[in-house]
Amino acid sequence: MARTTGVVSRGIRCPIIREGDDLVTIVRDSVMDAVREENIIVRDRDIVGVTEAVVARAQGNYCTCDDIAADVRAKFGDRTVGLIFPILSRNRFSLILKGIARGARKIVLMLSYPSDEVGNHLVSLDRVDEEGLNPYSDLLTEEEYRSHFGYQKHEFTGVDYVEFYRSLITAENCEAEIIFANSATRILEYTDSVICADIHTRARSKRLLKKAGASLVLGLDDLMTESINGSGFNSEYGLLGSNKATENTLKLFPRDAQAFAEKLSGALSEATGKKVEALVYGDGAFKDPQGKIWELADPVVSPGYTSGLSGLPNEVKLKYLADNDFAALKGDELKAAMKEYISHKDADLKGQMVSQGTTPRKITDLIGSLCDLTSGSGDKGTPVIFIQGYFDTYADE
């Protein structure tokens, strides 16, 4: 009998994960419980994704604002810190800012406008146009920003992030100056010691600043790269990918995600007798059409995954074949022709018209986005995602 379904993504409920838990065993047992309860037939190349949050939680990978402050003091001393291009987020950045301010004498905070890197808007681009401003060249002081735009609250959160970030800095007995610009080097008009808080553009920002003569340039990925007084850390990503845990504690991006994914894959494969792929996933990579927010505030979608998830999709566009190569066929004849074509498609379709319109993204980015959308970010209680049929094609029975 022909298969009647394609990709299936299931959220798997798990116990609440605590520091020190054997996460591989918990995930394996939770998946196997679901397999038995739902009468699921496990197949080779099924995929299990685990959210980065529970991996980091099981590791106890946390730091405090005091830890961040100590790291900043050690690296910047008494210098005025230029802090550029942070995202507008209570969850993602407020405690980072609090910790940096606790370790600094003065911060010149440079916000991009009209929006941050992931699409959170301070003001609309239309409003910028109406004010006759050029965001690519014009630098605004806080007073000039207020004269143009007044007090703007974020559409979803109701927060005036300019006011909010200023209050976080000054509450730590740190002097605050806020400016608005979109060229990294404009911060050098105020200080030559800079922390680049941008995520995906951080390498470029660092390069431009160093070339322009900055004396000290670090990114968030250069803070908390080693333990401070017994804290957690991330040697590769530092503070990138962190989330607010308590009013004074950040959960960092997990360490050793690659080793975890491989160990989990081994445990699942042994339990099922099938080759089960595994990955650790964070934010999916997609954009909200209403709020214009890019979901991807983590440095990568997946910090760890098994080798079977490497690479890009190699797919043909069915509608292209139906409208071109097989335009004269219908019914079973068309179905048979499609299956035959797919079964013998080239190993690398890059540049061929038949693949035009397929998604040219890394498999881990696509699967991680599917996992993120399935698990959500609230109270579903499914930090583990079990995906079947992802690598199936129309030719598979």
Side-chain angles (χ1 to χ4, degrees), residues 147-236:
S147 70
H148 283 290
F149 305 116
Y151 287 77
Q152 297 280 334
K153 292 187 176 182
H154 189 276
E155 177 183 6
F156 291 160
T157 65
V159 174
D160 180 324
Y161 279 96
V162 179
E163 174 106 5
F164 178 51
Y165 281 178
R166 169 174 281 284
S167 68
L168 287 175
I169 297 170
T170 56
E172 298 299 326
N173 296 315
C174 178
E175 185 180 347
E177 184 172 0
I178 300 179
I179 60 175
F180 304 80
N182 291 302
S183 173
T185 56
R186 297 302 298 270
I187 193 66
L188 299 180
E189 299 170 29
Y190 297 81
T191 178
D192 63 358
S193 303
V194 186
I195 297 174
C196 300
D198 42 345
I199 305 163
H200 305 290
T201 56
R202 64 188 185 276
R204 179 174 185 267
S205 294
K206 291 179 188 180
R207 173 173 55 80
L208 292 173
L209 285 163
K210 290 174 182 177
K211 184 178 179 180
S215 65
L216 177 59
V217 180
L218 300 179
L220 293 183
D221 53 331
D222 298 309
L223 298 175
M224 297 308 303
T225 56
E226 56 186 24
S227 180
I228 305 291
N229 300 320
S231 72
F233 65 97
N234 191 302
S235 59
E236 184 176 5

Coordinates of all heavy atoms in Angstrom, one line a residue, residues 147-236:
S147 N 13.5 64.1 20.1 CA 12.9 65.2 19.4 C 12.2 64.8 18.1 O 11.2 65.3 17.7 CB 13.9 66.3 19.1 OG 14.8 65.9 18.2
H148 N 12.8 63.8 17.5 CA 12.2 63.2 16.3 C 11.0 62.2 16.6 O 10.0 62.3 15.9 CB 13.2 62.5 15.5 CG 14.2 63.4 14.7 ND1 13.8 64.1 13.6 CD2 15.5 63.7 14.9 CE1 14.8 64.8 13.2 NE2 15.9 64.6 14.0
F149 N 11.2 61.4 17.6 CA 10.3 60.2 17.7 C 9.5 60.2 19.0 O 8.6 59.3 19.2 CB 11.1 58.9 17.5 CG 11.8 58.9 16.2 CD1 13.2 58.8 16.3 CD2 11.2 58.9 15.0 CE1 14.0 58.7 15.1 CE2 11.9 58.8 13.8 CZ 13.3 58.7 13.9
G150 N 9.9 61.0 20.0 CA 9.2 61.0 21.3 C 9.5 59.7 22.0 O 10.6 59.1 21.9
Y151 N 8.5 59.2 22.7 CA 8.7 58.0 23.5 C 7.9 56.8 22.8 O 6.6 56.8 22.9 CB 8.2 58.2 25.0 CG 9.2 59.0 25.8 CD1 9.2 60.4 25.6 CD2 10.0 58.4 26.6 CE1 10.1 61.2 26.3 CE2 11.0 59.2 27.4 CZ 11.0 60.6 27.2 OH 11.9 61.3 27.9
Q152 N 8.6 56.0 22.2 CA 8.0 54.9 21.4 C 8.0 53.6 22.2 O 9.1 53.2 22.7 CB 8.7 54.7 20.1 CG 8.7 55.9 19.2 CD 7.4 56.0 18.4 OE1 6.8 55.0 18.1 NE2 7.1 57.2 18.0
K153 N 6.9 52.9 22.3 CA 6.8 51.6 23.0 C 6.7 50.5 22.0 O 6.0 50.6 20.9 CB 5.6 51.6 24.0 CG 5.8 52.5 25.1 CD 4.7 52.3 26.2 CE 5.0 53.2 27.4 NZ 3.9 53.0 28.4
H154 N 7.4 49.4 22.3 CA 7.4 48.3 21.3 C 6.0 47.7 21.2 O 5.2 47.6 22.1 CB 8.4 47.2 21.9 CG 8.6 46.1 20.9 ND1 7.8 45.0 20.8 CD2 9.6 45.9 20.0 CE1 8.3 44.2 19.8 NE2 9.4 44.7 19.4
E155 N 5.7 47.4 19.9 CA 4.3 46.9 19.6 C 3.9 45.7 20.4 O 2.7 45.6 20.8 CB 4.3 46.5 18.1 CG 3.0 46.0 17.6 CD 3.0 45.5 16.2 OE1 4.1 45.6 15.6 OE2 1.9 45.1 15.7
F156 N 4.8 44.8 20.7 CA 4.4 43.5 21.4 C 4.6 43.6 22.9 O 3.8 43.1 23.7 CB 5.1 42.3 20.8 CG 4.7 42.0 19.4 CD1 5.6 41.2 18.6 CD2 3.5 42.4 18.9 CE1 5.2 40.8 17.3 CE2 3.1 42.0 17.6 CZ 4.0 41.3 16.8
T157 N 5.7 44.2 23.3 CA 6.1 44.2 24.7 C 5.6 45.4 25.5 O 5.5 45.3 26.7 CB 7.6 44.1 24.9 OG1 8.2 45.3 24.3 CG2 8.2 42.9 24.1
G158 N 5.3 46.5 24.8 CA 4.9 47.7 25.5 C 6.0 48.4 26.2 O 5.8 49.2 27.1
V159 N 7.3 48.1 25.8 CA 8.5 48.6 26.5 C 9.1 49.7 25.6 O 9.3 49.5 24.4 CB 9.5 47.5 26.8 CG1 10.8 48.1 27.3 CG2 8.9 46.5 27.7
D160 N 9.5 50.8 26.2 CA 10.3 51.8 25.6 C 11.7 51.4 25.9 O 12.3 51.6 27.0 CB 10.1 53.2 26.2 CG 10.9 54.3 25.5 OD1 12.1 54.0 25.2 OD2 10.4 55.4 25.4
Y161 N 12.4 50.7 24.9 CA 13.7 50.1 25.2 C 14.8 51.1 25.4 O 15.8 50.8 26.1 CB 14.1 49.2 24.0 CG 13.4 47.8 24.1 CD1 12.2 47.6 23.5 CD2 13.9 46.8 25.0 CE1 11.6 46.3 23.6 CE2 13.3 45.6 25.1 CZ 12.1 45.4 24.4 OH 11.5 44.2 24.6
V162 N 14.7 52.3 24.9 CA 15.7 53.3 25.2 C 15.6 53.7 26.7 O 16.7 53.7 27.4 CB 15.4 54.6 24.4 CG1 16.5 55.7 24.7 CG2 15.4 54.3 22.9
E163 N 14.5 53.9 27.2 CA 14.3 54.2 28.6 C 14.7 53.0 29.5 O 15.4 53.1 30.5 CB 12.8 54.6 28.9 CG 12.5 54.8 30.4 CD 12.3 56.2 30.7 OE1 12.4 57.1 29.9 OE2 12.1 56.5 31.9
F164 N 14.3 51.8 29.1 CA 14.5 50.6 29.8 C 16.0 50.3 29.9 O 16.6 50.1 31.0 CB 13.8 49.4 29.1 CG 14.0 48.1 29.8 CD1 13.8 47.9 31.1 CD2 14.4 47.0 29.0 CE1 14.0 46.7 31.7 CE2 14.6 45.8 29.6 CZ 14.4 45.6 31.0
Y165 N 16.7 50.4 28.8 CA 18.2 50.1 28.8 C 18.9 51.2 29.6 O 19.9 50.9 30.3 CB 18.7 50.0 27.4 CG 18.4 48.7 26.8 CD1 18.8 48.4 25.5 CD2 17.8 47.7 27.4 CE1 18.6 47.2 24.8 CE2 17.5 46.4 26.9 CZ 17.9 46.2 25.6 OH 17.7 45.0 25.0
R166 N 18.5 52.5 29.5 CA 19.1 53.5 30.3 C 19.0 53.2 31.8 O 19.9 53.4 32.6 CB 18.5 54.9 30.0 CG 18.9 56.0 30.9 CD 18.5 57.4 30.5 NE 19.3 57.9 29.5 CZ 20.5 58.4 29.7 NH1 21.0 58.4 30.9 NH2 21.2 58.9 28.7
S167 N 17.8 52.8 32.2 CA 17.5 52.6 33.6 C 18.3 51.4 34.2 O 18.8 51.4 35.3 CB 16.0 52.3 33.9 OG 15.6 51.1 33.3
L168 N 18.6 50.4 33.3 CA 19.4 49.2 33.7 C 20.8 49.6 34.0 O 21.4 49.2 34.9 CB 19.3 48.1 32.7 CG 18.0 47.4 32.5 CD1 18.1 46.4 31.3 CD2 17.7 46.6 33.8
I169 N 21.3 50.5 33.1 CA 22.7 51.0 33.3 C 22.9 51.8 34.5 O 23.8 51.6 35.4 CB 23.2 51.7 32.0 CG1 23.1 50.8 30.8 CG2 24.6 52.3 32.2 CD1 23.3 51.6 29.5
T170 N 22.1 52.8 34.7 CA 22.2 53.8 35.8 C 21.9 53.1 37.1 O 22.5 53.5 38.1 CB 21.3 55.0 35.6 OG1 19.9 54.6 35.4 CG2 21.7 55.8 34.3
A171 N 21.1 52.1 37.1 CA 20.8 51.4 38.4 C 22.1 50.7 38.9 O 22.1 50.3 40.1 CB 19.7 50.3 38.2
E172 N 23.1 50.5 38.1 CA 24.3 49.8 38.5 C 25.4 50.9 38.8 O 26.6 50.6 38.8 CB 24.8 48.9 37.4 CG 23.9 47.7 37.1 CD 23.6 46.9 38.3 OE1 24.6 46.7 39.1 OE2 22.5 46.3 38.5
N173 N 25.0 52.1 39.0 CA 25.9 53.2 39.3 C 26.9 53.4 38.2 O 28.1 53.7 38.4 CB 26.6 53.0 40.6 CG 25.7 53.0 41.8 OD1 24.8 53.9 41.9 ND2 25.8 52.0 42.7
C174 N 26.5 53.2 37.0 CA 27.3 53.4 35.8 C 26.7 54.5 35.0 O 25.5 54.6 34.8 CB 27.3 52.1 35.0 SG 28.2 52.1 33.4
E175 N 27.6 55.4 34.5 CA 27.1 56.5 33.7 C 26.7 56.0 32.3 O 27.3 55.1 31.7 CB 28.3 57.5 33.5 CG 27.8 58.8 32.7 CD 29.0 59.7 32.6 OE1 30.1 59.6 33.2 OE2 28.8 60.7 31.8
A176 N 25.6 56.5 31.8 CA 25.0 56.1 30.5 C 24.9 57.2 29.5 O 24.4 58.3 29.9 CB 23.6 55.5 30.8
E177 N 25.3 56.9 28.3 CA 25.1 57.8 27.2 C 24.6 57.0 26.1 O 25.2 55.9 25.7 CB 26.4 58.5 26.8 CG 26.2 59.6 25.7 CD 27.4 60.4 25.4 OE1 28.4 60.2 26.1 OE2 27.4 61.3 24.5
I178 N 23.5 57.4 25.4 CA 22.8 56.6 24.4 C 22.8 57.3 23.1 O 22.5 58.5 23.0 CB 21.4 56.2 24.8 CG1 21.4 55.4 26.1 CG2 20.8 55.4 23.7 CD1 20.0 54.9 26.6
I179 N 23.3 56.7 22.0 CA 23.3 57.3 20.7 C 22.7 56.2 19.7 O 22.5 55.1 20.1 CB 24.7 57.6 20.2 CG1 25.6 56.4 20.2 CG2 25.3 58.7 21.1 CD1 27.0 56.7 19.7
F180 N 22.4 56.7 18.5 CA 21.7 55.9 17.5 C 22.5 56.0 16.2 O 22.6 57.1 15.7 CB 20.3 56.3 17.4 CG 19.5 56.3 18.7 CD1 19.6 57.4 19.6 CD2 18.7 55.3 19.0 CE1 18.9 57.4 20.8 CE2 18.0 55.3 20.2 CZ 18.1 56.3 21.1
A181 N 22.9 54.9 15.7 CA 23.6 54.9 14.4 C 23.7 53.5 13.9 O 23.5 52.5 14.6 CB 25.0 55.5 14.6
N182 N 24.1 53.4 12.6 CA 24.1 52.0 12.0 C 25.5 51.7 11.4 O 25.6 50.6 10.8 CB 23.1 51.9 10.9 CG 21.7 51.9 11.4 OD1 21.3 51.1 12.2 ND2 20.9 52.9 11.1
S183 N 26.5 52.6 11.6 CA 27.8 52.3 11.2 C 28.6 52.0 12.5 O 28.7 52.8 13.4 CB 28.4 53.5 10.4 OG 29.8 53.2 10.2
A184 N 29.3 50.8 12.5 CA 30.0 50.4 13.7 C 31.0 51.4 14.2 O 31.2 51.7 15.4 CB 30.6 49.0 13.5
T185 N 31.7 52.0 13.2 CA 32.8 52.9 13.5 C 32.4 54.2 14.1 O 33.2 55.0 14.7 CB 33.7 53.2 12.3 OG1 32.8 53.7 11.2 CG2 34.3 51.9 11.8
R186 N 31.1 54.6 14.1 CA 30.7 55.9 14.7 C 30.9 55.9 16.2 O 31.0 56.9 16.8 CB 29.2 56.1 14.4 CG 28.9 56.3 12.9 CD 29.6 57.5 12.3 NE 29.4 58.8 12.9 CZ 28.4 59.6 12.4 NH1 27.6 59.2 11.4 NH2 28.2 60.8 13.0
I187 N 31.0 54.7 16.8 CA 31.2 54.6 18.3 C 32.6 55.2 18.6 O 32.8 55.6 19.7 CB 31.1 53.2 18.8 CG1 31.0 53.1 20.3 CG2 32.2 52.3 18.3 CD1 29.8 53.8 20.9
L188 N 33.5 55.2 17.6 CA 34.9 55.6 17.9 C 35.0 57.1 18.1 O 36.0 57.6 18.6 CB 35.8 55.2 16.8 CG 35.9 53.7 16.5 CD1 36.9 53.4 15.4 CD2 36.4 53.0 17.8
E189 N 33.9 57.8 17.8 CA 33.8 59.3 18.2 C 33.6 59.5 19.7 O 33.8 60.6 20.2 CB 32.6 59.9 17.4 CG 32.8 59.8 15.9 CD 31.5 60.3 15.2 OE1 30.8 61.1 15.7 OE2 31.3 59.8 14.0
Y190 N 33.3 58.4 20.4 CA 33.1 58.4 21.8 C 34.1 57.6 22.7 O 34.4 58.0 23.8 CB 31.7 57.9 22.1 CG 30.6 58.8 21.5 CD1 30.2 58.6 20.2 CD2 29.9 59.8 22.2 CE1 29.3 59.4 19.6 CE2 28.9 60.6 21.7 CZ 28.6 60.4 20.3 OH 27.7 61.2 19.7
T191 N 34.5 56.5 22.2 CA 35.5 55.7 22.9 C 36.1 54.7 21.9 O 35.5 54.4 20.8 CB 34.8 54.9 24.0 OG1 35.8 54.0 24.6 CG2 33.7 54.0 23.5
D192 N 37.3 54.2 22.2 CA 38.0 53.3 21.3 C 38.0 51.9 21.9 O 38.7 51.0 21.5 CB 39.4 53.7 21.0 CG 40.3 53.8 22.2 OD1 39.9 53.5 23.3 OD2 41.5 54.1 22.0
S193 N 37.2 51.7 23.0 CA 37.1 50.4 23.6 C 35.6 49.9 23.5 O 34.7 50.5 24.0 CB 37.5 50.5 25.1 OG 38.8 51.0 25.3
V194 N 35.5 48.8 22.7 CA 34.1 48.5 22.3 C 33.7 47.0 22.5 O 34.6 46.1 22.3 CB 34.0 48.8 20.7 CG1 32.6 48.5 20.3 CG2 34.5 50.2 20.4
I195 N 32.5 46.8 22.9 CA 31.9 45.5 22.9 C 30.9 45.4 21.8 O 29.9 46.2 21.8 CB 31.2 45.1 24.2 CG1 32.2 45.1 25.4 CG2 30.5 43.8 24.1 CD1 31.6 44.9 26.7
C196 N 31.0 44.6 20.8 CA 30.1 44.4 19.7 C 29.0 43.4 20.2 O 29.3 42.2 20.5 CB 30.7 43.8 18.5 SG 32.0 44.9 17.8
A197 N 27.8 43.9 20.4 CA 26.7 43.0 20.9 C 25.9 42.4 19.8 O 24.9 41.7 20.1 CB 25.8 43.8 21.8
D198 N 26.2 42.7 18.5 CA 25.5 42.1 17.4 C 25.8 40.6 17.4 O 26.8 40.1 17.9 CB 25.7 42.8 16.1 CG 27.2 43.1 15.9 OD1 28.0 43.1 16.8 OD2 27.5 43.5 14.7
I199 N 25.0 39.8 16.7 CA 25.1 38.4 16.7 C 25.7 37.9 15.4 O 26.8 37.5 15.3 CB 23.7 37.7 16.9 CG1 23.0 38.3 18.2 CG2 23.8 36.2 16.9 CD1 21.5 38.0 18.3
H200 N 24.9 38.0 14.3 CA 25.3 37.4 13.0 C 26.3 38.3 12.2 O 26.9 37.9 11.3 CB 24.1 37.0 12.2 CG 23.2 36.1 13.0 ND1 23.5 34.8 13.2 CD2 22.0 36.4 13.5 CE1 22.5 34.3 13.9 NE2 21.6 35.2 14.1
T201 N 26.3 39.6 12.6 CA 27.2 40.5 11.9 C 28.4 40.9 12.8 O 29.2 41.8 12.4 CB 26.4 41.8 11.6 OG1 25.9 42.4 12.8 CG2 25.3 41.6 10.6
R202 N 28.7 40.2 13.8 CA 29.7 40.5 14.8 C 31.1 40.5 14.2 O 31.9 41.4 14.5 CB 29.6 39.6 16.0 CG 29.9 38.2 15.8 CD 29.6 37.3 17.0 NE 30.0 35.9 16.9 CZ 29.2 35.0 16.3 NH1 28.0 35.3 15.8 NH2 29.6 33.7 16.2
A203 N 31.4 39.5 13.3 CA 32.7 39.5 12.7 C 33.0 40.7 11.9 O 34.2 41.2 12.0 CB 32.9 38.2 11.9
R204 N 32.1 41.1 11.1 CA 32.3 42.3 10.3 C 32.4 43.6 11.2 O 33.3 44.4 11.0 CB 31.1 42.5 9.4 CG 31.2 43.8 8.5 CD 30.1 43.9 7.5 NE 30.3 45.0 6.6 CZ 29.8 46.2 6.8 NH1 29.0 46.5 7.8 NH2 30.0 47.2 5.9
S205 N 31.6 43.7 12.2 CA 31.7 44.9 13.1 C 33.1 44.9 13.8 O 33.7 46.0 13.8 CB 30.6 44.8 14.2 OG 29.3 45.0 13.6
K206 N 33.6 43.8 14.2 CA 34.9 43.7 14.8 C 36.0 44.1 13.8 O 36.9 44.9 14.1 CB 35.2 42.3 15.4 CG 34.4 41.9 16.6 CD 34.8 40.5 17.0 CE 33.9 39.9 18.0 NZ 34.3 38.5 18.4
R207 N 35.9 43.6 12.6 CA 36.9 43.9 11.6 C 36.9 45.3 11.3 O 38.0 46.0 11.2 CB 36.6 43.0 10.3 CG 37.5 43.4 9.1 CD 37.2 42.4 8.0 NE 35.8 42.3 7.6 CZ 35.2 43.2 6.8 NH1 35.9 44.3 6.4 NH2 34.0 43.1 6.4
L208 N 35.8 46.0 11.1 CA 35.7 47.4 10.7 C 36.3 48.3 11.9 O 37.0 49.2 11.6 CB 34.3 47.8 10.4 CG 33.6 47.2 9.2 CD1 32.2 47.6 9.1 CD2 34.4 47.7 7.9
L209 N 36.0 47.9 13.1 CA 36.5 48.7 14.2 C 38.0 48.6 14.4 O 38.7 49.6 14.6 CB 35.8 48.2 15.5 CG 34.3 48.7 15.7 CD1 33.6 47.9 16.7 CD2 34.2 50.2 16.0
K210 N 38.5 47.4 14.2 CA 39.9 47.2 14.4 C 40.7 47.9 13.2 O 41.7 48.6 13.5 CB 40.3 45.7 14.3 CG 39.8 45.0 15.6 CD 40.0 43.5 15.5 CE 39.5 42.8 16.7 NZ 39.7 41.3 16.6
K211 N 40.1 47.9 12.0 CA 40.7 48.6 10.9 C 40.7 50.1 11.1 O 41.6 50.8 10.7 CB 40.0 48.2 9.6 CG 40.6 48.8 8.4 CD 39.8 48.3 7.1 CE 40.4 48.9 5.8 NZ 39.7 48.5 4.6
A212 N 39.7 50.6 11.8 CA 39.5 52.0 12.0 C 40.3 52.5 13.2 O 40.3 53.7 13.5 CB 38.1 52.4 12.2
G213 N 41.0 51.6 13.9 CA 41.9 52.0 15.0 C 41.5 51.8 16.4 O 42.1 52.3 17.3
A214 N 40.4 51.1 16.6 CA 39.9 50.8 18.0 C 41.0 50.1 18.7 O 41.7 49.2 18.2 CB 38.7 50.0 17.9
S215 N 41.2 50.4 20.0 CA 42.3 49.8 20.8 C 41.9 48.5 21.4 O 42.7 47.6 21.6 CB 42.7 50.8 21.9 OG 41.7 51.0 22.8
L216 N 40.6 48.3 21.7 CA 40.1 47.1 22.3 C 38.7 46.8 21.7 O 37.8 47.6 21.9 CB 40.1 47.2 23.8 CG 39.5 46.0 24.6 CD1 40.3 44.7 24.3 CD2 39.5 46.2 26.1
V217 N 38.6 45.6 21.1 CA 37.3 45.2 20.5 C 37.0 43.8 20.9 O 37.8 42.9 20.5 CB 37.4 45.3 18.9 CG1 36.0 44.9 18.4 CG2 37.7 46.7 18.5
L218 N 35.9 43.6 21.5 CA 35.4 42.3 21.9 C 34.0 42.1 21.5 O 33.3 43.1 21.2 CB 35.5 42.0 23.4 CG 36.9 42.1 24.0 CD1 36.8 41.9 25.5 CD2 37.9 41.1 23.4
G219 N 33.5 40.9 21.4 CA 32.1 40.7 21.1 C 31.5 40.0 22.3 O 32.2 39.6 23.3
L220 N 30.2 39.8 22.3 CA 29.6 39.0 23.4 C 30.1 37.6 23.4 O 30.1 36.9 24.5 CB 28.0 39.0 23.2 CG 27.3 40.3 23.4 CD1 25.8 40.1 23.3 CD2 27.6 41.0 24.7
D221 N 30.6 37.1 22.2 CA 31.2 35.8 22.2 C 32.6 35.8 22.8 O 33.2 34.7 22.9 CB 31.2 35.3 20.7 CG 31.9 36.3 19.8 OD1 31.9 37.5 20.1 OD2 32.5 35.8 18.8
D222 N 33.1 36.9 23.3 CA 34.4 36.9 23.9 C 34.2 37.1 25.4 O 35.3 37.2 26.1 CB 35.2 38.1 23.4 CG 35.5 37.9 21.9 OD1 36.0 36.8 21.5 OD2 35.3 38.8 21.1
L223 N 33.0 37.2 25.9 CA 32.8 37.3 27.4 C 32.2 36.0 27.9 O 31.4 35.4 27.2 CB 31.8 38.5 27.6 CG 32.2 39.9 27.3 CD1 31.1 40.9 27.5 CD2 33.5 40.3 28.0
M224 N 32.6 35.6 29.1 CA 32.2 34.4 29.7 C 32.6 33.1 28.8 O 31.8 32.2 28.7 CB 30.6 34.4 30.0 CG 30.2 35.4 30.9 SD 31.1 35.5 32.5 CE 30.9 33.8 33.1
T225 N 33.8 33.2 28.3 CA 34.3 32.1 27.5 C 35.0 31.1 28.4 O 35.5 30.0 28.0 CB 35.3 32.6 26.5 OG1 36.3 33.4 27.1 CG2 34.5 33.4 25.4
E226 N 35.2 31.4 29.7 CA 35.7 30.5 30.7 C 35.1 30.8 32.0 O 34.5 31.8 32.2 CB 37.3 30.6 30.8 CG 37.8 32.0 31.1 CD 39.3 32.1 31.1 OE1 39.9 31.3 30.4 OE2 39.8 33.0 31.7
S227 N 35.2 29.8 32.9 CA 34.5 30.0 34.2 C 35.0 31.1 35.0 O 36.2 31.3 35.1 CB 34.6 28.7 35.0 OG 33.9 28.7 36.2
I228 N 34.1 31.9 35.6 CA 34.4 33.0 36.5 C 33.9 32.5 37.9 O 32.7 32.4 38.1 CB 33.8 34.3 36.1 CG1 34.1 34.7 34.7 CG2 34.2 35.4 37.1 CD1 35.6 35.1 34.4
N229 N 34.9 32.3 38.8 CA 34.5 31.9 40.2 C 33.5 30.7 40.2 O 32.5 30.7 41.0 CB 33.9 33.1 40.9 CG 34.8 34.2 41.0 OD1 36.0 34.0 41.3 ND2 34.3 35.4 40.9
G230 N 33.8 29.7 39.3 CA 33.0 28.5 39.3 C 31.7 28.6 38.5 O 30.9 27.6 38.5
S231 N 31.5 29.6 37.7 CA 30.3 29.8 36.9 C 30.3 28.9 35.7 O 31.4 28.2 35.4 CB 30.2 31.2 36.4 OG 31.2 31.5 35.4
G232 N 29.2 28.8 35.0 CA 29.2 28.2 33.7 C 29.9 29.1 32.7 O 30.3 30.2 33.0
F233 N 30.1 28.6 31.5 CA 30.8 29.4 30.4 C 30.5 28.7 29.1 O 29.9 27.6 29.0 CB 32.3 29.4 30.7 CG 32.9 28.0 30.6 CD1 33.6 27.6 29.4 CD2 32.9 27.2 31.7 CE1 34.2 26.4 29.3 CE2 33.5 25.9 31.6 CZ 34.1 25.5 30.4
N234 N 30.9 29.3 28.0 CA 30.8 28.7 26.7 C 32.0 29.2 25.9 O 32.1 30.4 25.6 CB 29.5 29.1 25.9 CG 29.4 28.2 24.7 OD1 30.2 28.2 23.8 ND2 28.3 27.5 24.6
S235 N 33.0 28.3 25.7 CA 34.3 28.7 25.1 C 34.1 29.2 23.6 O 34.9 30.0 23.2 CB 35.3 27.6 25.1 OG 34.8 26.4 24.4
E236 N 33.1 28.8 22.9 CA 32.9 29.2 21.5 C 32.0 30.4 21.4 O 32.3 31.3 20.6 CB 32.3 28.0 20.8 CG 32.1 28.3 19.3 CD 31.6 27.1 18.5 OE1 31.3 26.0 19.1 OE2 31.6 27.2 17.3

